[in-house]
Amino acid sequence: MKILVTGGLGFIGSHTVVELQEQGFEVVIVDDCSNSSEEVLKGIASITRKAPIFEKMDLRDKLKVQDFFKRHAEIEGVIHFAASKAVGESVTNPLLYYENNIATLVYLLQELSKKPRSSFIFSSSCTVYGQADKMPITEDAPVKPAESPYGNTKQIGEEIISDTCKVTPGLNAIALRYFNPMGAHPSAEIGELPIGIPQNLVPFITQTAMGIREQLSVFGDDYPTADGTCIRDYIHVVDLAKAHVVALKRLLDAKNSNNYEFYNVGTGKGSSVLEVIKSFERVSGLKLNYKIVDRRPGDIVSAYADTTKANKVLGWKAQFTLDQAMKSAWDWERKIRG
C-alpha cells in the first residue's frame, strides 16, 4: 500500500516514514527541502534498510500537485506534515504562512476528493486551544482565537478538512493535535535538525551544551507553577510517529463511524522548563549554562494533554519517559556534531 508523506524529510515526518516502512507501507516523500535536507534519506534507509521514493517539490505549485497524483494514482493515503511552523516568523510574514499552510492543504484535498476512497492525516497542534481553562486539556476544550497566524492556519486547516469530509463520503481524515515533540530515533540516524537558531527548547538545550549557543534563556520564573517556569507536555518523537501509523490504520480499516476525527497526542504529563533542564543534566552528567530572563510575550502558562481519547479509541499511548527522550536528543546532537 502506497502512502504519501509530505514534509517527510522533516523532524516528525522522517520518524513517521521510518515507522510506516517498518510496518510494511510503501512510502513516497514530497518535500521542498526549505527546512530539511536530502541527507535525511540516508538515515531513513540506514534504519529501515529501504530507501523511500522521494520527489523534491513545492506543494504551492498546483499544477505540479495535479501531475504528481496522476503519476501516483495508486496512493491510498496522505500524511500531511509540510508547513511553515515558526510562530514568530508567522507574525512578521503572515501571507507566507497562509499560502504555505492553507493553499497546499487545499490542493491536496482537491486531488484526494477525486478518488473513490482516500485517507488523510493532518499535522495539527495544541496551539488551537490557546491557554486552556482546565488542565489536562481534553478534546472537548474550546478552540480559542489564535495567538499567531501559525496557530490560525492550524485552526483553519482543521475547519477546511472537516467541511470537505462532510461533502466527500470517500474521504476519511484524522487531525492529530500535537503537544511538544522532542528527542530522536534511538539509532541516532535521524533527529531534530533546526536550520539557524532553534525555535524549540530541547535543541537549544543540546546546542548550548555543545557550545554552539552561549547560553540558554529561560523566559520567566514567576509564572503560577511549582517552580515558576512554563509547563508543557513533551512527547518523544517516536511515540508521536507511531500515533500517525495507528491513526492511518484506523482510517484504512474504516472502523470509524465519522469520517473526520481529532485527537490529542501527548504524554498526559506536564513538565516545566526547569524540569526539562534537570532531565538533561541528569542524562548527560553536564551542568547547563542557563539564565532566567523576562517573560516572552505570547507564552501561555501551562499546556498538557488528556490523552484518554487516543488511548481508548486508537489504542495508542506514549511509552518513552522524559529522560529517555532527552537522552536520545543528546545522543543525536553529539553524533551530528561528531
Side-chain angles (χ1 to χ4, degrees):
M1 182 175 292
K2 187 176 283 190
I3 304 298
L4 167 63
V5 180
T6 72
L9 298 183
F11 177 40
I12 306 170
S14 60
H15 286 82
T16 302
V17 169
V18 166
E19 297 301 323
L20 286 167
Q21 292 197 160
E22 291 186 337
Q23 290 287 318
F25 290 96
E26 183 179 0
V27 178
V28 183
I29 294 174
V30 165
D31 201 306
D32 67 358
C33 297
S34 60
N35 196 34
S36 59
S37 168
E38 290 187 43
E39 289 294 309
V40 176
L41 289 167
K42 296 178 182 178
I44 294 171
S46 176
I47 297 167
T48 65
R49 300 290 181 259
K50 181 180 180 183
I53 301 167
F54 170 64
E55 289 197 24
K56 187 174 181 179
M57 188 198 324
D58 188 336
L59 292 171
R60 291 176 295 182
D61 190 325
K62 184 175 182 177
L63 294 178
K64 287 185 177 178
V65 174
Q66 292 173 340
D67 177 68
F68 174 87
F69 277 91
K70 287 177 183 175
R71 291 185 288 106
H72 295 278
E74 68 276 27
I75 283 175
E76 295 186 44
V78 175
I79 303 181
H80 183 41
F81 295 105
S84 300
K85 61 179 184 176
V87 172
E89 183 187 43
S90 78
V91 174
T92 59
N93 195 353
L95 292 179
L96 169 67
Y97 275 66
Y98 288 116
E99 179 187 33
N100 205 30
N101 295 7
I102 300 301
T104 57
L105 172 63
V106 170
Y107 298 157
L108 289 169
L109 291 176
Q110 285 174 337
E111 296 308 305
L112 290 179
S113 297
K114 298 174 184 177
K115 293 176 173 287
R117 177 173 166 78
S118 58
S119 300
F120 189 80
I121 307 289
F122 180 58
S123 170
S124 192
S125 168
C126 65
T127 58
V128 302
Y129 299 116
Q131 178 58 71
D133 300 320
K134 296 179 182 179
M135 293 294 145
I137 301 170
T138 71
E139 287 85 354
D140 293 328
V143 172
K144 295 190 174 182
E147 299 286 340
S148 68
Y150 162 75
N152 203 26
T153 64
K154 294 303 181 183
Q155 292 184 10
I156 294 169
E158 288 197 20
E159 292 168 358
I160 290 170
I161 297 165
S162 176
D163 289 342
T164 305
C165 285
K166 288 175 185 176
V167 296
T168 315
L171 176 63
N172 294 304
I174 288 177
L176 296 180
R177 294 173 174 173
Y178 313 158
F179 280 68
N180 292 69
M182 62 173 288
H185 195 271
S187 66
E189 291 292 339
I190 55 175
E192 190 168 8
L193 190 61
I195 294 175
I197 299 174
Q199 300 291 319
N200 298 331
L201 174 61
V202 173
F204 212 112
I205 287 175
T206 57
Q207 288 190 15
T208 301
M210 289 295 294
I212 298 165
R213 308 293 162 194
E214 183 178 348
Q215 188 177 64
L216 172 71
S217 294
V218 176
F219 297 104
D221 64 350
D222 58 349
Y223 286 95
T225 62
D227 61 23
T229 63
C230 293
I231 291 174
R232 300 289 184 268
D233 188 336
Y234 294 92
I235 178 172
H236 196 299
V237 66
V238 172
D239 278 331
L240 179 54
K242 290 179 184 294
H244 288 81
V245 180
V246 171
L248 178 66
K249 287 182 176 180
R250 175 172 171 79
L251 295 181
L252 293 171
D253 291 344
K255 291 179 181 177
N256 54 324
S257 57
N258 300 313
N259 65 337
Y260 172 68
E261 299 175 330
F262 50 89
Y263 297 88
N264 288 339
V265 185
T267 66
K269 180 182 183 299
S271 300
S272 72
V273 174
L274 289 181
E275 285 175 329
V276 175
I277 290 172
K278 289 174 184 175
S279 172
F280 171 78
E281 292 180 336
R282 229 175 3 250
V283 302
S284 69
L286 301 174
K287 188 70 177 174
L288 190 70
N289 181 26
Y290 70 90
K291 179 182 179 181
I292 306 294
V293 299
D294 291 340
R295 291 188 183 192
R296 183 171 53 185
D299 274 347
I300 60 175
V301 178
S302 179
Y304 57 97
D306 182 320
T307 60
T308 303
K309 184 179 178 183
N311 299 158
K312 289 184 176 179
V313 181
L314 297 180
W316 169 91
K317 188 173 183 178
Q319 301 296 323
F320 290 94
T321 66
L322 177 62
D323 280 5
Q324 289 172 323
M326 184 59 77
K327 183 180 184 302
S328 68
W330 181 229
D331 289 345
W332 163 250
E333 186 72 48
R334 285 186 296 172
K335 179 185 177 182
I336 60 176
R337 306 301 171 185

